[in-house]
Each structure stands twice: as structure tokens, then as C-alpha cells.
Amino acid sequence: MFESAEIGHSIDKETYEAEVPALREALLEAQFELKQQARFPVIVLINGIEGAGKGETVKLLNEWMDPRLIEVRTFDQQSDEELAHPPAWRYWRALPAKGRMGVFFGNWYSQMLQGRVHGHFKDAVLDQAISGAERLEQMLCDEGALIFKFWFHLSKKQMKTRLKALKKDPVHRWRISPLDWEQSETYDRFVRFGERVLRRTSRDYAPWHVIEGVDPYYRSLAVGKILLEGLQNALKAKSIKAPTPIAPLGESIDQLSLLQALDLSVHLDKHDYEKQLVSEQARLAGLLRDKRMKHHALVAVFEGNDAAGKGGAIRRVAAALDPRQYRIVPIAAPTEEERAQPYLWRFWRHIPERGKFTVFDRSWYGRVLVERVEGFCTPADWMRAYGEINDFEEQLSNAGVVVVKFWLAIDQQTQLERFQEREEIPFKRFKITEEDWRNRDKWDAYAQAVGDMVDRTSTEISPWTLVEANDKRWARVKVLRTINDALEAAFRKHKK
Amino acid sequence: MFESAEIGHSIDKETYEAEVPALREALLEAQFELKQQARFPVIVLINGIEGAGKGETVKLLNEWMDPRLIEVRTFDQQSDEELAHPPAWRYWRALPAKGRMGVFFGNWYSQMLQGRVHGHFKDAVLDQAISGAERLEQMLCDEGALIFKFWFHLSKKQMKTRLKALKKDPVHRWRISPLDWEQSETYDRFVRFGERVLRRTSRDYAPWHVIEGVDPYYRSLAVGKILLEGLQNALKAKSIKAPTPIAPLGESIDQLSLLQALDLSVHLDKHDYEKQLVSEQARLAGLLRDKRMKHHALVAVFEGNDAAGKGGAIRRVAAALDPRQYRIVPIAAPTEEERAQPYLWRFWRHIPERGKFTVFDRSWYGRVLVERVEGFCTPADWMRAYGEINDFEEQLSNAGVVVVKFWLAIDQQTQLERFQEREEIPFKRFKITEEDWRNRDKWDAYAQAVGDMVDRTSTEISPWTLVEANDKRWARVKVLRTINDALEAAFRKHKK
């Protein structure tokens, strides 16, 4: 895989100097076209052998192009805020917005390679990391990002010569690499595992470009031209992706559905309700104060029919706690900054630190519910969302975040009665809008979407809980009990 | 000041229960009106004696109102990211957006009182902190925020009884206060310094409300009613503040101005330029690698006439450095999230950590330049901006941030020539817009605004550097040299 990057590529100075001015102008043009269109972000990953000119090339790109539109990020030591979140959080917070370019040093590939070369883990874990990277990049590309991956290569002999030269240069001496490249074995292991990583992660939508790093003219021109061509192609491409042909999800052929199978007649009388509510609230308060909570975070997702009682259920959860212990994030239309990012970005920014609890009042499931039913996104978009959401929740779970998801279900008659009540009671009238009435007409489409959602995203890691919510008391107690059971299970699992 | 909060205020249960339902409904109504209008944020500061019911009251408010629209923040231990920024950064990042309510525990008053009670500093430093709080709140209110400040009070005897009760209650036992309230002296000192703080910071726009904390019915109803009344008044008030009568800034009566006094004929020949540029770039690279840099951060602000060469100067600064060492923040129109916050918020979010360097391509001076000249804000707004900006830069400076500010000045003829050149050269055409031509017609108004800006914001802490920019070479070298001199001066000062 690295053979053709050890054959001594070089460009003579005259050729270089003759080609650079036109390349620079074209890159600047492309960069401003990118800014004007503000249609997609560009992510440039920089990896490879120490001393192969990674930093120098990025510096040069910043000189050639407009550095005001480029964000260079280096991910070395994690801050304590980063350590308290799932590992990918630090990358999500650094993603460039549409129209901008982000250059990532020390990215996910560096992390996995360092870990493997240092022997912190074996191939199985490396392969997990590779799959994670693939899924992340696939998702970013599906969301429109243009990804360039550059691997700067040197032969072992070239590297040794280069390291010797760098050591003498005061401008470079201060740089600290997390790997000890002077050990002969480091190079061998890095190249061996690098090969595995490149082979597995070079995909049509985000291929690797291996650049021989010896000759600065060659490597600069090579990178510049690849960037330019990629940018120009993406800028010329139609703004709307050709619709991917999607095999439709089958509809229930026997009219039986998960929601219909719910027994909505279950209920609690007032006395039982108050007793159980108080007891579950005390249990939740105790669990959140448990010292095992510092290894976990808690996320509760509330979805449900309009007027199913999400707000009331959330208030009963909150009432169990000191307001300093939780945050409630109401999900409404995305802001301008959120629209300039991949879909999941606006949820990642609200993921709690370890020890904390966040309630999502509606959530990332909007894409497979309202956006699907209302046609706000293409079938290809909501179809791939199931997998992206499962990946997302798996990352949360791996980092100790307990994810509890509720669908609060009521029947049409109950909804009608609640709508009417809301219209009559002054301080409830803000809870009912024209849109709520319109959504009622799409009852069956929503039921279908909910069924598909549960089928595809109710996982071992994070199962859906369908809550019979015709009786508000029953619903509130079930919500609290489910959260408590999930937390206890996580604590028990942790103990083992 | 606390006398009337030690007289045993209480409300009987019947009265309380009779009043709460209407209060709750009215609070909910007000809260949703607040959300609908999305015209201003509400900030609630919670302070006072340990055990006086601060937490309980906030919990109750979350039960009465819609907790989805309330953000409760507690500022205890600073994260390392917070420690690497000026102290106020943690408050700025937690400010509620317009239409929302933020409840701040452990806020700036808690910090200053704890420091003084612990004896970490004396009255002079307390008074500085008090002035800082006053300026912050004045600014927030001028930006439209509605601030409530609650001080929960107990007599010493009441406090002791209350602490004894809390200790037995497992729900409260886990809370850790940064002050040891069981020491008799702690109470005395807290009340003494609290009095000083309240006296000095109770202002018409953000008065303190002292609430006796013994009786839960009394304190809950008292706080609820104050909140409701304040909210209702603010919601009813006209959306546009009555214009404050402003004494106009005098115009130069002898046609002499700072900008006119600049000798724009200064220049560097190519040879001197290249020599000096390389030498200043090396100096900057060295200074940023200096180990003293870890106590500082660097902020460089670029303002100037259109086509004065800001971009080119910034590129020469960037060229001195590894792209991982700096960020360039181009300031354009504020985003939706930025418009929902006070003016300075969108600059606070980009203030670098210690050890880092951020370049602002245009800056917070937009308010006293383009916004003033174009009439995008009222005279009252830009007039107060001078003071707010000085406060802002003083906070940066106190935290070790070196702020260097450039006005790049060219004359009208030079601008005309550069505009024409930009229109002719393909890869420069994105740099010239209709707006640039329109701005030229306002040359004199801009000159006046620049003069006022320099007069009012060129301070000992952060002086303006006027850069003669008809000759780009001269300008670029002067910019680099000024940054280097400022950094060296900061390092020297630190040493002393």
C-alpha cells in the first residue's frame, strides 16, 4: 500500500514555481465558492509518519489559501470536560460548519494507531475503532461533508534522516510526538497497523491519499492538486443528491401493530399513584446520589403523541430531584448554527457529562418521526437515520451513558378530549396549536413511523419503553420506574 | 439591611394553598409569553445564608413553572477549560438565550463572598469584585436582560436550628458548602460582607430582594410574587426602550484628526521589508514557544478601511506560525444564537485559552464603527459600548490575555486604486462588493467614528495601534513588530 510512496517522487523547483501561482488562485476561487454556497463543510484528516511534512504542508495550505476560512484543530491531551464525555464528543464540537474547512491533526486515526502501536490494545479493539471511523465518515458524507484523508509517508531510512535534521532545527525541536519514533520498532508497527487502517477505511466517499513526504515540492503540489480537484468537483455537483433508490419498508399486512397491541386501559387509582410516585421519586433521588453514578450519565428521551403527557411526566421526574442535578432540553426547529452541521450535532452538544442527567423533550428521533411523515427529509435520509442513531446510542452506552427512551401512547379519543380541554383552560392554551390539529389527520402515518422506529432502534443497549398513557398516573409511575430500573441495571453491570 | 428578614415572616397553610393555584397559572402564562416574545432573557441570582431554603425554593419554582424553559446552573469547581479562560467566561457560556430563564446558584456574588469570608483577600479586592458585578449587570440590563437577585436570610439562631435539622435528613446531608457554617464566625462575617455587597449592588435596574427563609410558605410565595410581577411588567413594557437622551460627542472643530495626522507616505523597500518581515516572524514564532506564554493568551484585533490590507497582514502573521498555534475568527453578521445573547457574547465564545492565540478579523468594535455609522443600533447603544468594551478588555487583561488592536489606515485614493484592481483580477473579485463602494461614500462618518473609538478605547491596558497602510510592506512589518513588543512587555511585566 505504501510502495509507490517510497520511490522518490520529486518535482524540480522550476516546475513547482511555475505551477504554484495558478494552483493558488484556483484554490482561493474554490474556497470562496465554498463559502458562498455554504452547502457543505470540508474535513481534511492529516496522518502519517513523523517527519513526513504533515505540519509543513498544512502551514503551506494556510499560506496559499485564505486562513480565515480554515480551522486547524489538534486533538492531543483531552481536557477534563472532554474526558467526562463520550470520546467522539471532542470531534463533534470541532466540526467545521458548512462553507468552511477543518483540518484535523491527531484525529481518530492517530488515536487508534497510537493505542495499537503502544500496545494498549490488540487487533480486535483496533478493528472496532476502524469500524467506528468508517461509520462516522459515512455519516458525515451522507450529511454532505467532503472528506480528504492524507497519509504522509516516508521509508524508514528517509524517516531517520529526516528526524536527525529536525532535531537540529530549533523551530521543530519543541514538538512532542506521543510515539517514540527513534525506536526502530515504532516505525515498523506504525506502518503495519497503518496499512490495516488504510485498507479498511479507504472508501469511495472518503478515500485515502498516500503522499510521499520526502520532497517538499512534490508533496505540496500533490496535496494542493488533490484538494483543488476534489473541491471543484464537489462545488460543481448538483446541490441535491440523486435520490438513492430505497426499498420501501413493508407495511403491516395483517393490521396488527405494536401500538395497537398496547393495552391502553391500564390505570392507577389516586391512592396507589401517590404512594408509588413518592416511592419511585425517592428511589430516583437516591440513585442519582449513589456514588456509582459518577461512572455514568443518564439520558431520558421523551417522545409520544401530541397531548400524551410528556410535559407532565417530565415534571414528575424533575420533581424528584434538585434542579441542579438535571437539564431539560426541549427540541424545537434547529437554529442556524445547527443547520450548518450534521443532523446529530445538535444532540451531541447537549449530551451530559458523567454524573449528570439530561432529559430530551423530543429528540434525535424527530428525523424518523415528524421529518419522515411531513417529508422534511428524503426517504434515503430517514432510512439511514436508524443506523446512525443506533451508532450514536452505542457510543453513548460505551461511555457509560444510560439511555432510556419513552414513547407515550394515547388513543385518538383521549387526544381529542385533551385538545379540547387545552383550548378551554386559559393557562393551557399555549399547549395547543393549529399544527397539533393537522398532525391528528396523519395519525396512521405516525403510527407506522413509530412502529418502524421501535423495530429498528429498540436495542439491547437502549430499548424503547412504550408507555400506556391514556391514564396519566400510570404513565408517570411507569416512566419513573423504568428510569430507576435502567440505572440500577447499569450500576449492577458496572459492579461485575 | 437584614432587619426585616429576622422578624418571623410567615404565612399560614390555608392562605398559601389558596393563593398558589392562581400564582402558578399566572407564572406559567408569563413564562410562555416570555418564550413567545423571545425579546429578553431572565436571570435569577440565588444567594444567602446556608439553610435558608435557596435550593428548596428553586425546586418549587421548577415545579410551579415549566422546567423545560428554565436552566438551573451551579458554578462550583471550575473545569480546567474554565480555569484556562478569564473568570467571567464560565458565566457568559451559561447565559440563557432570549425567551428563557437562567437560575444561577454559586454565582459571582457567592464567589466574592466566599473569598472574603475565607480571608483569601481584603475589602479592596471585594470592592473590585463588586464593581465588576455592577458593570456586568448594568450591561446585561442594557442589553435587555431582566435580572432578579434573591438573598435568602436567616438569623444566626434560626440558621443553627436549621442546620441541625438538615444534618439528620439524608436528602440534604450530601450537599457540601464551600463555607463551614457551623463556625459561629462564618455567619457573622458572611452577613457583614453580605451587607456591604447588597448595599453596593442594589440598583434600580437589578435590585436585591431579601427574603426571610424560615417559613417555607412565606418564602415561596414571596419569591413567586416578585418573579411574577417583574415578569409581567417587563412583558408589558414597550419592545423598544425609550431613547436615552445622549449628549452628542463633539466633532473636531479644527478639522484636525488622529487619522489625518498619520503620515501615510511612510514605506519600506522590498529588501528591507523581506529582511524585517522574516526577522519579526521568527521573533513571533519564538515568543509563542516561550514557556512564559503558558501564563498568557494573545488576542490580535484587526480593523481598518476596506481594502486596507487586513487579510494580507493577517496572512503574514499566520505565516510565522504553525497553524495549530492560532485561530482566525472572521466576524460577520451574528448568527441566530448570537442574536439571542448580549452583544459581547459572540466574542467571549472565541476568547482563547491560556497559551493560545486568536486573531479577530473585525471585532467587537463593529458596534462603534459600522453599527454606529449605518444606524444598526441606537446612539445609546454605541455610546455605552465604549465602556463595556473597556470593561471587557480589562477582564481579558486581568486574566493574562494580551490584547493588541490595529486600525489599518489608507487614504481615499489608495482605496480607489485597490478597489479597481480587485474588480479586474479574477481571484480577487470576491473581495469587492457593492457594499464596499457604498461605504466609500461614508468616508467622513467612518473617520469620525474611528477617532472617537481610539479616543475612548485606547487604554493603558490595551492601546490602539494606528497602522499607516498605504504601503502594505510597512503595515505588515509594523503589525508583527507591535504584536511582538506587546508580548515581550507582558512577559517582562510578569517576571517582575
Side-chain angles (χ1 to χ4, degrees):
Chain A
M1 183 155 274
F2 302 123
E3 291 81 354
S4 79
E6 297 187 359
I7 56 178
H9 286 288
S10 73
I11 297 268
D12 62 84
K13 194 177 175 197
E14 289 65 42
T15 313
Y16 178 77
E17 285 179 350
E19 291 208 19
V20 162
L23 177 62
R24 265 202 65 186
E25 286 184 25
L27 278 169
L28 275 171
E29 289 257 11
Q31 206 184 5
F32 282 89
E33 184 62 29
L34 174 71
K35 184 192 169 197
Q36 289 299 322
Q37 292 190 6
R39 199 159 48 80
F40 58 87
V42 178
I43 299 169
V44 182
L45 303 180
I46 302 290
N47 292 84
I49 306 297
E50 183 76 359
K54 298 192 287 288
E56 290 89 332
T57 311
V58 173
K59 186 166 177 351
L60 193 71
L61 288 177
N62 268 269
E63 284 167 33
W64 284 354
M65 301 170 80
D66 191 321
R68 293 174 290 187
L69 299 174
I70 303 179
E71 298 158 25
V72 178
R73 294 282 187 273
T74 175
F75 301 92
D76 28 44
Q77 202 76 33
Q78 283 166 281
S79 76
D80 56 4
E81 293 188 24
E82 289 174 341
L83 283 167
H85 285 96
W89 187 76
R90 63 195 319 223
Y91 302 120
W92 278 90
R93 75 199 289 225
L95 285 180
K98 287 173 187 165
R100 296 181 60 88
M101 178 183 288
V103 178
F104 285 10
F105 280 95
N107 48 55
W108 41 93
Y109 291 113
S110 331
Q111 313 285 339
M112 67 177 87
L113 278 167
Q114 281 160 30
R116 186 66 190 92
V117 170
H118 275 302
H120 296 326
F121 46 74
K122 299 240 196 283
D123 278 350
V125 172
L126 179 63
D127 286 353
Q128 284 184 320
I130 286 172
S131 309
E134 273 192 295
R135 286 195 297 266
L136 174 64
E137 290 170 18
Q138 169 87 62
M139 181 276 301
L140 290 171
C141 291
D142 283 337
E143 293 275 321
L146 177 62
I147 301 184
F148 294 93
K149 301 192 289 201
F150 291 107
W151 180 277
F152 289 78
H153 191 73
L154 288 180
S155 71
K156 195 171 188 172
K157 200 174 141 211
Q158 288 164 342
M159 184 195 73
K160 289 197 169 168
T161 318
R162 180 93 170 121
L163 288 189
K164 213 173 282 177
L166 282 179
K167 254 169 117 176
K168 288 191 193 129
D169 183 346
V171 178
H172 295 286
R173 221 172 29 198
W174 63 286
R175 298 193 301 191
I176 304 147
S177 164
L179 289 175
D180 181 5
W181 287 92
E182 295 189 36
Q183 284 192 15
S184 183
E185 207 200 355
T186 299
Y187 178 91
D188 297 336
R189 288 173 66 87
F190 197 85
V191 166
R192 173 150 53 96
F193 299 123
E195 226 251 29
R196 185 187 188 97
V197 168
L198 262 65
R199 187 180 71 231
R200 298 272 304 274
T201 59
S202 215
R203 292 275 171 265
D204 53 341
Y205 51 84
W208 278 99
H209 303 280
V210 177
I211 309 285
E212 181 167 337
V214 178
D215 178 54
Y217 296 141
Y218 171 79
R219 72 175 181 236
S220 307
L221 221 48
V223 169
K225 285 183 169 185
I226 290 166
L227 269 182
L228 178 63
E229 203 184 339
L231 271 169
Q232 284 177 336
N233 284 344
L235 290 166
K236 259 182 293 183
K238 293 246 171 7
S239 57
I240 311 287
K241 281 182 295 182
T244 321
I246 296 284
L249 298 181
E251 286 187 33
S252 169
I253 52 170
D254 66 354
Q255 311 305 321
L256 245 187
S257 78
L258 264 176
L259 288 177
Q260 282 169 332
L262 274 184
D263 175 9
L264 293 181
S265 70
V266 290
H267 64 278
L268 276 179
D269 68 35
K270 201 175 175 195
H271 174 77
D272 286 347
Y273 167 66
E274 283 172 0
K275 219 173 102 183
Q276 294 183 31
L277 184 74
V278 166
S279 135
E280 293 296 342
Q281 285 181 330
R283 198 175 149 214
L284 178 59
L287 286 168
L288 283 185
R289 282 198 310 272
D290 189 297
K291 63 177 187 293
R292 287 169 293 184
M293 186 64 202
K294 72 168 188 268
H295 304 296
H296 294 279
L298 176 60
V299 166
V301 168
F302 287 83
E303 297 281 356
N305 298 112
D306 291 326
K310 289 189 295 294
I314 290 171
R315 284 186 41 232
R316 295 324 180 280
V317 171
L321 304 170
D322 184 294
R324 286 165 278 195
Q325 293 179 296
Y326 61 83
R327 288 193 190 182
I328 303 175
V329 179
I331 297 300
T335 66
E336 181 185 338
E337 291 183 39
E338 289 169 342
R339 289 193 304 272
Q341 295 284 357
Y343 177 69
L344 288 172
W345 187 85
R346 62 195 181 111
F347 309 106
W348 267 107
R349 71 195 301 208
H350 293 298
I351 290 303
E353 296 187 348
R354 255 189 290 280
K356 299 290 171 69
F357 174 25
T358 298
V359 172
F360 285 90
D361 180 13
R362 303 198 188 273
S363 70
W364 43 94
Y365 286 98
R367 177 145 280 189
V368 298
L369 295 169
V370 57
E371 292 192 26
R372 166 185 174 175
V373 173
E374 303 291 338
F376 294 158
C377 64
T378 66
D381 286 332
W382 61 258
M383 274 298 288
R384 70 179 160 83
Y386 297 118
E388 290 171 6
I389 287 172
N390 285 336
D391 287 346
F392 171 49
E393 293 178 357
E394 187 175 344
Q395 288 179 67
L396 299 186
S397 170
N398 286 343
V401 184
V402 178
V403 182
V404 191
K405 307 182 296 203
F406 299 104
W407 177 266
L408 272 63
I410 53 176
D411 58 33
Q412 281 184 284
Q413 180 57 31
T414 304
Q415 187 184 58
L416 182 64
E417 288 162 16
R418 292 191 186 166
F419 277 13
Q420 284 163 347
E421 185 197 308
R422 287 180 174 189
E423 291 198 322
E424 279 156 26
I425 300 179
F427 76 96
K428 287 195 173 176
R429 66 181 154 60
F430 54 79
K431 292 170 100 178
I432 180 95
T433 63
E434 279 302 308
E435 205 187 323
D436 293 324
W437 287 107
R438 277 197 304 273
N439 287 345
R440 251 179 88 76
D441 298 337
K442 299 176 180 153
W443 187 273
D444 293 335
Y446 274 101
Q448 172 78 31
V450 172
D452 290 336
M453 170 183 82
V454 173
D455 285 345
R456 283 155 200 283
T457 61
S458 198
T459 61
E460 171 204 20
I461 288 171
S462 171
W464 272 99
T465 301
L466 301 180
V467 182
E468 306 82 350
N470 270 5
D471 180 59
K472 290 181 180 178
R473 295 174 189 147
W474 174 278
R476 290 166 186 175
V477 168
K478 181 165 179 178
V479 160
L480 271 157
R481 185 172 292 142
T482 306
I483 293 175
N484 289 331
D485 290 348
L487 264 183
E488 272 184 5
F491 289 174
R492 266 199 310 274
K493 207 170 143 195
H494 196 91
K495 209 177 161 188
K496 278 177 201 161
Chain B
M1 183 154 270
F2 301 123
E3 292 81 352
S4 79
E6 297 188 359
I7 56 179
H9 286 289
S10 73
I11 297 268
D12 61 84
K13 195 178 175 195
E14 289 66 40
T15 312
Y16 178 77
E17 286 180 348
E19 292 207 18
V20 163
L23 177 62
R24 264 201 66 184
E25 286 186 23
L27 279 170
L28 275 172
E29 289 256 10
Q31 206 183 4
F32 282 89
E33 184 63 29
L34 174 71
K35 184 192 170 196
Q36 289 298 322
Q37 292 190 5
R39 199 158 49 79
F40 58 88
V42 178
I43 300 169
V44 182
L45 303 181
I46 302 290
N47 293 84
I49 306 297
E50 184 74 1
K54 298 191 287 289
E56 290 90 331
T57 311
V58 173
K59 185 165 176 356
L60 194 70
L61 287 177
N62 267 270
E63 284 168 31
W64 284 355
M65 301 170 81
D66 190 321
R68 292 173 290 185
L69 299 174
I70 304 179
E71 298 158 26
V72 178
R73 294 283 187 271
T74 174
F75 302 92
D76 27 45
Q77 203 75 34
Q78 284 166 281
S79 76
D80 55 6
E81 293 189 23
E82 288 174 342
L83 283 167
H85 285 95
W89 186 76
R90 64 197 318 222
Y91 302 121
W92 278 91
R93 73 199 289 225
L95 285 180
K98 288 174 186 166
R100 296 180 60 89
M101 178 182 288
V103 178
F104 285 11
F105 280 93
N107 48 55
W108 42 93
Y109 290 114
S110 331
Q111 312 286 338
M112 66 177 88
L113 278 167
Q114 282 160 27
R116 186 67 190 91
V117 170
H118 275 302
H120 296 326
F121 46 74
K122 299 239 196 281
D123 278 350
V125 172
L126 179 63
D127 285 354
Q128 284 184 319
I130 288 172
S131 307
E134 272 193 295
R135 286 194 298 266
L136 174 65
E137 291 171 16
Q138 169 85 64
M139 180 278 300
L140 290 171
C141 291
D142 283 336
E143 293 276 322
L146 177 62
I147 301 185
F148 294 93
K149 301 192 288 201
F150 292 107
W151 180 275
F152 290 78
H153 191 73
L154 287 179
S155 71
K156 195 172 188 173
K157 200 174 140 210
Q158 289 164 341
M159 184 195 72
K160 290 195 168 170
T161 317
R162 180 93 169 119
L163 288 189
K164 212 172 282 177
L166 282 180
K167 254 167 116 175
K168 287 189 196 133
D169 182 345
V171 179
H172 296 285
R173 221 171 29 197
W174 63 287
R175 297 195 302 192
I176 303 148
S177 163
L179 289 174
D180 180 6
W181 287 91
E182 294 189 38
Q183 283 192 13
S184 184
E185 208 200 354
T186 300
Y187 179 92
D188 297 336
R189 288 173 67 85
F190 198 84
V191 166
R192 174 148 53 95
F193 298 123
E195 228 252 26
R196 184 187 189 95
V197 167
L198 263 63
R199 187 180 71 232
R200 298 272 305 274
T201 59
S202 215
R203 292 276 172 263
D204 52 343
Y205 51 84
W208 278 99
H209 303 279
V210 177
I211 309 286
E212 181 167 339
V214 178
D215 178 53
Y217 297 141
Y218 171 79
R219 70 173 184 238
S220 307
L221 221 48
V223 169
K225 285 183 167 182
I226 289 166
L227 269 182
L228 178 63
E229 203 185 338
L231 270 169
Q232 285 177 335
N233 285 344
L235 290 166
K236 259 182 293 181
K238 293 247 170 9
S239 57
I240 311 287
K241 279 183 294 181
T244 322
I246 297 285
L249 298 181
E251 286 186 33
S252 170
I253 54 171
D254 66 354
Q255 311 306 322
L256 244 189
S257 77
L258 265 177
L259 287 177
Q260 281 169 333
L262 275 184
D263 175 9
L264 294 182
S265 71
V266 290
H267 64 280
L268 275 180
D269 67 35
K270 200 173 174 195
H271 176 76
D272 287 347
Y273 167 66
E274 283 172 359
K275 221 174 99 183
Q276 294 183 31
L277 183 74
V278 166
S279 136
E280 292 296 342
Q281 285 181 330
R283 200 173 146 214
L284 179 59
L287 286 167
L288 284 185
R289 284 198 309 271
D290 189 296
K291 64 176 187 291
R292 288 170 293 185
M293 188 63 201
K294 72 167 189 267
H295 304 294
H296 293 279
L298 176 60
V299 166
V301 168
F302 286 83
E303 297 280 358
N305 299 112
D306 290 327
K310 291 190 293 295
I314 290 171
R315 284 186 41 232
R316 295 323 181 279
V317 171
L321 304 169
D322 184 293
R324 285 165 277 194
Q325 292 179 298
Y326 61 82
R327 288 192 191 183
I328 303 176
V329 179
I331 298 299
T335 66
E336 180 185 338
E337 291 183 38
E338 290 169 342
R339 289 193 303 272
Q341 295 284 357
Y343 178 67
L344 287 172
W345 188 83
R346 61 195 181 110
F347 309 106
W348 267 108
R349 70 196 301 209
H350 293 298
I351 290 303
E353 297 188 348
R354 254 189 289 280
K356 299 289 170 71
F357 174 24
T358 298
V359 172
F360 285 90
D361 180 14
R362 304 196 186 273
S363 69
W364 43 95
Y365 286 98
R367 177 145 279 188
V368 298
L369 295 170
V370 56
E371 291 193 25
R372 167 185 173 175
V373 173
E374 303 291 339
F376 294 159
C377 64
T378 67
D381 285 333
W382 59 260
M383 274 297 288
R384 69 180 161 83
Y386 296 118
E388 290 171 6
I389 287 172
N390 285 336
D391 288 346
F392 171 48
E393 292 178 358
E394 187 174 344
Q395 289 178 68
L396 299 186
S397 170
N398 287 344
V401 184
V402 178
V403 182
V404 190
K405 306 183 295 203
F406 298 105
W407 177 265
L408 272 62
I410 53 175
D411 58 32
Q412 281 183 285
Q413 180 56 31
T414 305
Q415 189 184 56
L416 182 63
E417 289 161 14
R418 291 190 187 168
F419 277 14
Q420 285 163 347
E421 185 197 310
R422 286 180 176 191
E423 292 199 321
E424 281 155 24
I425 300 180
F427 76 95
K428 287 196 172 176
R429 67 180 154 59
F430 54 76
K431 292 169 101 181
I432 180 93
T433 63
E434 278 303 308
E435 205 186 322
D436 293 323
W437 287 105
R438 277 197 304 273
N439 287 346
R440 252 178 87 75
D441 299 336
K442 297 178 182 153
W443 187 274
D444 293 337
Y446 274 101
Q448 173 77 30
V450 172
D452 290 336
M453 170 183 82
V454 174
D455 285 345
R456 283 154 199 285
T457 60
S458 198
T459 61
E460 173 204 18
I461 287 170
S462 171
W464 273 100
T465 301
L466 302 181
V467 181
E468 305 83 349
N470 268 5
D471 181 60
K472 289 180 181 178
R473 296 175 190 146
W474 174 278
R476 290 166 186 175
V477 168
K478 182 165 177 177
V479 160
L480 271 157
R481 185 171 291 141
T482 305
I483 293 175
N484 288 332
D485 290 348
L487 264 184
E488 271 184 5
F491 289 175
R492 268 199 310 276
K493 210 171 141 193
H494 196 91
K495 208 178 163 188
K496 279 178 198 161

